[in-house]
């Protein structure tokens, strides 16, 4: 039996205490124990980027990281990006307006990776966006719209955008 | 007549906000794999380790002995049913 470990870390700005088994991955703890199912599991081997989250600002595949490793760190998932229910980040808004997704399964990972890019480089070139986003696969869009969304968000700046009232909530 | 045609054209010229947009960019959209029900069981497939062979029997004793296993379904459980390519 795998040993149990008590963890304390900051999850989307909230102090979080959990007990995890040594063989649990970060994605298992996020999805199954904490109910944050926004982070998706695609390939399970660190290739597709669907499970991308930020650990201390760095993009990490949550399917590769043993959960015990996040003890004492700051973890941000897709659920933690929007400042409140009435706003979206400019990147989230750009993905909607520029068709940066279809089915939406890879989208949380795409947005987490692109968030890290814009934090590091607020005005990337098209080539820099493509290079950075290489680790996030999408089977729907053909990538053009994803690149377009990220460039549009860079143009718009980092201020949150009011959420449109239209749509399912 | 022209008045009734103007309205639909106006709709086509406007970019439409995606109804499911906010859900998909915030992680709020629920997909099948995101649903957890009380008492929900997990399923795992075991596939043949031979690429081209006739399955004559499946020995499930070892799987049955694993703690927490609720059921094992094999071709025998289902019986003779015409499905998939056998329909053609």
């Amino acid at each position: 039996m795998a040993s149990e470990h008590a963890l304390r870390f900051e999850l989307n700005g909230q102090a979080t205490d959990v007990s995890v088994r040594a063989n649990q991955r970060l994605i298992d703890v996020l999805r199954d124990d904490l109910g944050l199912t926004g982070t998706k599991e695609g390939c399970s081997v660190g290739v597709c980027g669907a499970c991308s989250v930020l650990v201390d600002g760095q993009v990490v595949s949550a399917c590769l990281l043993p959960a015990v490793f996040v003890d004492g760190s700051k973890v941000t998932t897709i659920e933690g990006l929007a400042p409140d229910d009435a706003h979206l980040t400019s990147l989230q808004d750009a993905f909607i307006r520029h068709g940066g997704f279809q089915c939406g399964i890879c989208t949380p990972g795409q947005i987490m990776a692109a968030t890290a890019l814009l934090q590091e480089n607020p005005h990337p070139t098209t080539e820099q966006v493509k290079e950075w986003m290489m680790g996030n696969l999408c089977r729907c869009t053909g990538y053009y719209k994803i690149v377009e969304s990220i460039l549009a968000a860079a143009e718009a700046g980092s201020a949150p955008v009011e959420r449109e009232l239209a749509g399912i909530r | 007549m022209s008045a009734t045609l103007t309205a639909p054209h106006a709709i086509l010229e406007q970019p439409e906000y995606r109804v499911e947009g906010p859900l998909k960019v915030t992680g709020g959209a629920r997909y099948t794999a995101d649903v957890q029900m009380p008492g929900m069981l997990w399923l795992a497939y075991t596939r043949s380790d031979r690429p081209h062979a006739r399955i004559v029997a499946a020995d499930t004793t070892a799987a049955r002995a694993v703690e927490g296993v609720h059921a094992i379904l094999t071709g025998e459980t289902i019986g003779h049913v015409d499905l998939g390519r056998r329909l053609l």
Side-chain angles (χ1 to χ4, degrees):
Chain A
M1 259 308 176
S3 52
E4 287 274 336
H5 301 267
L7 299 191
R8 164 164 285 210
F9 63 104
E10 196 182 304
L11 177 58
N12 297 333
Q14 300 235 318
T16 304
D17 292 277
V18 274
S19 177
V20 304
R21 294 187 308 281
N23 62 357
Q24 270 186 299
R25 306 165 302 166
L26 179 59
I27 192 164
D28 301 323
V29 173
L30 292 174
R31 288 182 55 89
D32 302 338
D33 297 352
L34 298 169
L36 294 184
T37 55
T39 304
K40 303 301 180 200
E41 182 164 9
C43 70
S44 317
V45 291
V47 171
C48 77
C51 66
S52 301
V53 297
L54 303 185
V55 177
D56 292 332
Q58 300 283 315
V59 189
V60 168
S61 290
C63 75
L64 293 183
L65 191 70
V68 287
F69 282 30
V70 303
D71 191 32
S73 60
K74 286 185 182 175
V75 177
T76 310
T77 69
I78 189 74
E79 290 92 343
L81 287 186
D84 54 59
D85 287 348
H87 294 82
L88 296 172
T89 65
S90 64
L91 192 60
Q92 288 173 315
D93 183 69
F95 265 71
I96 298 174
R97 294 188 192 282
H98 295 265
F101 55 86
Q102 287 176 36
C103 84
I105 289 280
C106 75
T107 312
Q110 302 281 0
I111 292 178
M112 295 318 291
T115 298
L117 165 65
L118 296 183
Q119 270 165 11
E120 192 159 303
N121 179 1
H123 297 288
T125 63
T126 305
E127 280 313 307
Q128 286 170 328
V129 171
K130 287 183 181 174
E131 173 84 20
W132 183 281
M133 298 302 292
M134 213 178 279
N136 290 80
L137 305 185
C138 172
R139 300 287 232 168
C140 303
T141 60
Y143 302 102
Y144 289 98
K145 297 285 186 181
I146 293 175
V147 174
E148 200 180 304
S149 303
I150 297 167
L151 291 172
E155 181 99 347
S158 59
V161 179
E162 214 165 296
R163 193 169 156 166
E164 286 246 350
L165 288 176
I168 314 159
R169 270 159 297 144
Chain B
M1 201 56 186
S2 63
T4 53
L5 281 173
T6 317
H9 285 202
I11 288 168
L12 293 176
E13 285 156 9
Q14 292 294 320
E16 189 60 36
Y17 194 76
R18 279 175 77 163
V19 282
E20 91 290 21
L23 281 180
K24 285 182 176 172
V25 300
T26 57
R30 266 173 111 217
Y31 295 82
T32 313
D34 302 334
V35 179
Q36 278 198 35
M37 303 292 284
M40 189 170 85
L41 301 177
W42 292 84
L43 178 142
Y45 287 101
T46 302
R47 303 179 69 173
S48 169
D49 56 2
R50 306 289 160 91
H52 190 82
R54 180 179 301 278
I55 299 167
V56 288
D59 183 358
T60 59
T61 344
R64 237 170 251 287
V66 176
E67 199 194 330
V69 169
H70 280 66
I72 294 160
L73 308 176
T74 67
E76 258 174 50
T77 322
I78 299 165
H80 181 89
V81 183
D82 284 343
L83 43 79
R85 278 195 286 175
R86 296 190 60 167
L87 284 177
L88 300 173

